[in-house]
Amino acid sequence: MNLRVTACRDRDTWDRAVLSAGGHPLQLWGWGEVKSRYAWSADRLLVHDADGVQVGAAQVLYRRLPPPFKSLAYIPRGPVADEPARGEVLRAIAEHVKATRKPVGLTIEPDWADPKSPLPKGVSDDEVATIERTAPAGWLAAVAGAGFRRSSNTGLIPRTLVVDLTPDEDDILKAFNSSTRQNVRKSFRAENVRFGVVTSESDLEQVLAINKETGKRAGFAVHDDAYHRAIRDELGERSQLVVAWEGDDVVAFVWLVVSDTTAFELYGGVSPRGMKLRLNYGLKFHAMKHVKAQGVSRYDFNGLLNDGISDFKRQFSKHEDLLIGTWDKPLSPLYPAFATALPKVRTALKRGVPAAKATMRDPKSAVTTVRARFSHTSSAE
């Protein structure tokens, strides 16, 4: 396949290309602008065949690294490409990235289901690991044939839950656990409770407070307030903050980014009062109904781990989903040295380039460091 890669520098043109191809919201122009406020830069690449037909698109994020490594290229939930073209699209993008930006490597975390997905609910980690060790076949073999290899240095968690929103609302509800259905109905009947979308600054302030409280309670880091406002400002109508109020008080929220096909949970949280009323149950279903009304067909809960939050998510379906995960392609002779230090570098990058420089000066010590486990909020930090 003779493919041509060109840079796109117009926001409307880019978003139309992503949306028309069923792309993920993290491939929208606004997400690249959010990340560009925080030490990343973004290129938007369109891939056309010899007849001028678009066969792929990729928003590529670059994180500057200390010399001699230059940068790392990363495609969150992309590229966008149909199955038959995926291998060739990836090959063309990697060649373009190497020629134009010369990063040490290219990491992809596509929104592509593993051929063995969906999986039974409660599938064990060992069973998932066995699937991930299986030799690639079909279009996935073409991904490997383009020079990409699986990586355990995961940013966005591949094991997730994607709810199909195409059935009617009653059938979606029937897929929940019986106790979950009861909690949904109970929350809808709760006195002085309503669900909707945040439009005011005062409500946003309440959401940010709950987010910090939830992070502290669950033991994960949260971004600062400016980062969350950047999501609101850069994504515009594609950023949808759905909440539950009791009276005038926000007591639960889910922060979505939304494309034409996919609603993706960035963050969620609930106050102690919201937990007591179990409003987080009703809020999830309300959020699904909210995006379904927009024509969205997929609701992605964004990652499953072995924790209480993931146990809560699993109540909303009888299955789990598995994406193909993280794949890396070396683009420099220096890549082996970089890969040796990568786990510690990814942690250091959160603290800025100076910390990363110290890491790269002593890659051997990095090998002994326990790998940082990214939360879903650290996918491009």
Side-chain angles (χ1 to χ4, degrees):
M1 189 182 295
N2 184 19
L3 300 182
R4 178 172 54 92
V5 181
T6 57
C8 179
R9 296 182 173 85
D10 179 76
R11 181 179 190 135
D12 290 341
T13 300
W14 175 257
D15 282 350
R16 281 197 302 270
V18 171
L19 295 171
S20 65
H24 193 276
L26 295 190
Q27 283 291 292
L28 293 173
W29 185 283
W31 187 252
E33 293 303 289
V34 172
K35 308 317 290 185
S36 294
R37 295 192 186 190
Y38 292 87
W40 293 80
S41 61
D43 283 350
R44 290 93 178 181
L45 306 177
L46 295 173
V47 186
H48 294 87
D49 66 14
D51 296 323
V53 176
Q54 179 186 316
V55 294
Q59 177 165 251
V60 187
L61 304 179
Y62 296 90
R63 181 72 186 241
R64 184 167 59 89
L65 297 174
F69 298 98
K70 293 188 177 179
S71 66
L72 175 67
Y74 171 55
I75 306 178
R77 288 297 179 255
V80 182
D82 290 337
E83 282 187 13
R86 286 171 180 174
E88 289 301 311
V89 166
L90 281 169
R91 190 186 304 275
I93 289 171
E95 290 174 356
H96 180 90
V97 165
K98 181 178 180 180
T100 57
R101 298 291 291 261
K102 298 179 173 58
V104 67
L106 172 61
T107 293
I108 62 169
E109 292 182 323
D111 187 30
W112 298 342
D114 187 276
K116 295 186 182 300
S117 185
L119 306 176
K121 184 166 70 172
V123 61
S124 71
D125 290 343
D126 287 343
E127 290 172 292
V128 172
T130 297
I131 292 171
E132 293 176 336
R133 288 194 298 267
T134 302
W139 64 264
L140 197 52
V143 172
F148 288 82
R149 296 293 180 268
R150 289 189 186 273
S151 172
S152 59
N153 289 296
T154 296
L156 292 163
I157 301 167
R159 187 173 177 179
T160 186
L161 171 60
V162 180
V163 172
D164 179 8
L165 298 181
T166 57
D168 63 37
E169 292 179 4
D170 287 341
D171 286 337
I172 294 172
L173 188 61
K174 288 176 184 176
F176 301 171
N177 287 354
S178 60
S179 60
T180 303
R181 293 196 298 270
Q182 293 172 8
N183 285 328
V184 167
R185 294 183 178 113
K186 181 178 179 180
S187 65
F188 284 160
R189 295 193 300 267
E191 185 178 355
N192 202 26
V193 167
R194 59 192 169 93
F195 301 92
V197 177
V198 162
T199 57
S200 72
E201 185 67 23
S202 60
D203 283 339
L204 176 59
E205 290 285 352
Q206 292 188 67
V207 166
L208 296 177
I210 292 174
N211 193 43
K212 293 170 189 172
E213 176 188 324
T214 301
K216 185 181 297 185
R217 187 169 63 240
F220 59 79
V222 299
H223 292 292
D224 62 24
D225 292 353
Y227 183 91
H228 294 89
R229 288 190 170 88
I231 295 171
R232 175 198 61 186
D233 296 341
E234 296 291 356
L235 272 297
E237 65 180 11
R238 297 291 173 176
S239 166
Q240 300 183 16
L241 182 48
V242 187
V243 305
W245 290 273
E246 183 185 32
D248 294 329
D249 296 330
V250 175
V251 291
F253 79 92
V254 59
W255 198 320
L256 306 172
V257 284
V258 183
S259 69
D260 284 355
T261 58
T262 302
F264 183 71
E265 287 193 358
L266 285 179
Y267 318 106
V270 59
S271 72
R273 176 62 178 170
M275 281 191 289
K276 183 176 181 179
L277 295 175
R278 307 199 175 202
L279 296 183
N280 46 340
Y281 287 89
L283 179 62
K284 291 289 189 189
F285 189 48
H286 176 83
M288 292 179 197
K289 294 195 297 180
H290 170 73
V291 296
K292 177 179 171 63
Q294 301 168 51
V296 171
S297 57
R298 305 168 71 238
Y299 187 99
D300 189 339
F301 279 73
N302 186 11
L304 296 174
L305 297 168
N306 292 317
D307 61 2
I309 293 175
S310 298
D311 291 341
F312 170 69
K313 294 177 180 179
R314 287 185 173 97
Q315 297 180 57
F316 291 86
S317 183
K318 295 181 171 65
H319 75 280
E320 296 182 14
D321 293 273
L322 183 66
L323 305 181
I324 68 167
T326 307
W327 292 64
D328 294 337
K329 179 170 182 172
L331 297 179
S332 164
L334 298 171
Y335 184 82
F338 172 75
T340 298
L342 183 56
K344 191 172 181 180
V345 169
R346 276 187 155 163
T347 303
L349 282 173
K350 293 185 182 182
R351 304 192 300 272
V353 172
K357 286 181 178 179
T359 300
M360 297 310 298
R361 283 195 294 268
D362 188 14
K364 288 184 179 180
S365 69
V367 181
T368 64
T369 302
V370 177
R371 286 184 171 175
R373 188 189 75 183
F374 281 123
S375 69
H376 66 269
T377 61
S378 69
S379 59
E381 289 310 313

